[in-house]
């Protein structure tokens, strides 16, 4: 517990330790030393101080020129998630766009779309309940978690179904100094079973557990392109911090995973059919709201194979 500083005549009070408290927060969208430059081929409109921007001016249905690809990548590094209104790409075009950033993943744990690299999320109606409404980073249970994801909404409910993203660089920047000292250099275990057990048959989990053994990643990763330090644990897949007793690990993970819940680190996007988002999975967590009941929400996602976190 943390004691409130008392004065004569003021009763003593205590609040839980490791909470989220009010006050000034460090809010920067660029890492130290980053040289910000104007965009010449695309229009980038930030949606918050630290994360999220709408992009216009790029023809995503065609192969990207090297200049446009470079500016889109720079915008991704600076704003972590890019939104393209009315993209309306076919699954093949969506995959071709993502492939400008590398090899595409396949994911046997999720429903497949029209091709192996496309994951299809069909929710509402008679579909199974959603499971994306928790703060998480995609596939951190892999040795090489996704670099990024490209998600397009095919069907949108009349109301609801938004998605939120949180900047994990801001989450790290605002940790108390004593917490940063504890986690710098620490490593944590990530396991797919922790995230999928609530909605996947046990037999299916058993079939895949040898294919996806537990992996270790740094609690704080360094972004391979920007060099920024990022908090890299999440409630879906991070099970424990190495070198700690279970109770200590659980308490510290609870403190760290709560950081994504701070609104100043977040952007929220309301979808229209055909909208597309491209996010940096190395630098963010996301949360898909399930507030649309039995109405349909259909999305398709392709993910880009990433590097080994360091």
């Amino acid at each position: 517990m943390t004691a409130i500083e008392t004065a004569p005549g003021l009763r003593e009070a205590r609040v839980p330790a490791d909470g989220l408290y009010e006050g000034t927060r460090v809010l920067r969208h660029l890492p130290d030393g980053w040289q910000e430059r104007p965009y010449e081929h695309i229009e980038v409109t930030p949606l918050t101080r630290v994360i999220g921007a709408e992009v216009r001016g790029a023809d995503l249905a065609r192969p990207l020129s090297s200049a446009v690809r470079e500016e889109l990548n720079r915008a991704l590094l600076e704003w972590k998630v890019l939104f393209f209104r009315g993209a309306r790409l076919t699954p093949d075009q969506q995959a071709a766009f993502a492939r400008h950033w590398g090899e595409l993943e396949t994911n046997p744990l999720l429903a497949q779309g029209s091709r192996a690299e496309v994951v299809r999320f069909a929710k509402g109606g008679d579909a199974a309940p959603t499971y994306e409404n928790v703060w998480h980073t995609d596939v951190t249970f892999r040795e090489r978690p996704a670099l990024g994801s490209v998600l397009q909404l095919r069907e949108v409910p009349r109301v609801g179904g938004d998605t939120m993203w949180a900047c994990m660089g801001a989450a790290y920047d605002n940790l108390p100094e004593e917490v940063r000292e504890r986690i710098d250099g620490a490593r944590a275990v990530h396991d797919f079973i922790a995230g999928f057990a609530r909605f996947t048959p046990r037999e299916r989990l058993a079939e895949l557990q040898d294919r996806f053994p537990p992996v270790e990643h740094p609690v704080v990763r360094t972004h391979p392109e920007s060099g920024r330090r990022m908090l890299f644990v999440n409630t879906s897949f991070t099970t424990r911090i190495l070198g700690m007793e279970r109770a200590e690990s659980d308490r510290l993970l609870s403190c760290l995973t709560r950081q994504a819940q701070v609104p100043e680190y977040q952007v929220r996007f309301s979808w229209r059919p055909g909208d597309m988002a491209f996010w940096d999975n190395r630098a963010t967590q996301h949360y898909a709201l399930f507030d649309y009941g039995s109405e349909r929400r259909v999305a398709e996602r392709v993910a880009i194979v990433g590097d080994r976190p360091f």
Side-chain angles (χ1 to χ4, degrees), residues 122-130 290 292-298:
K123 303 297 178 182
D126 296 330
T130 191
F290 185 36
Y292 45 91
S294 61
E295 291 195 42
R296 290 270 291 173
R297 183 185 188 273
V298 179

Side-chain angles (χ1 to χ4, degrees), residues 20-39:
L20 298 176
Y21 306 116
E22 70 278 5
T24 302
R25 292 187 166 93
V26 177
L27 299 175
R28 58 191 180 103
H29 74 279
L30 300 171
D32 292 335
W34 186 269
Q35 184 64 44
E36 194 167 15
R37 311 191 306 275
Y39 296 98

Side-chain angles (χ1 to χ4, degrees), residues 43-122:
E43 178 185 345
V44 178
T45 304
L47 300 182
T48 76
R49 288 279 302 275
V50 297
I51 181 172
E54 287 195 19
V55 176
R56 298 179 181 84
D59 186 352
L60 308 183
R62 298 177 179 273
L64 303 178
S65 68
S66 59
V68 171
R69 192 272 181 197
E70 186 279 328
E71 289 201 348
L72 287 172
N73 191 67
R74 179 154 54 90
L76 182 70
L77 297 178
E78 291 180 351
W79 295 106
K80 298 88 182 172
V81 54
L82 306 179
F83 303 108
F84 305 88
R85 288 287 189 188
R88 296 190 181 279
L89 300 187
T90 67
D92 286 349
Q93 291 170 333
Q94 185 177 342
F97 170 80
R99 201 172 283 111
H100 283 92
W101 277 265
E103 175 189 358
L104 303 187
E105 285 186 352
T106 58
N107 192 325
L109 289 155
L110 300 173
Q112 182 179 311
S114 60
R115 53 188 297 157
E117 302 93 340
V118 176
V119 168
R120 185 173 175 85
F121 301 98

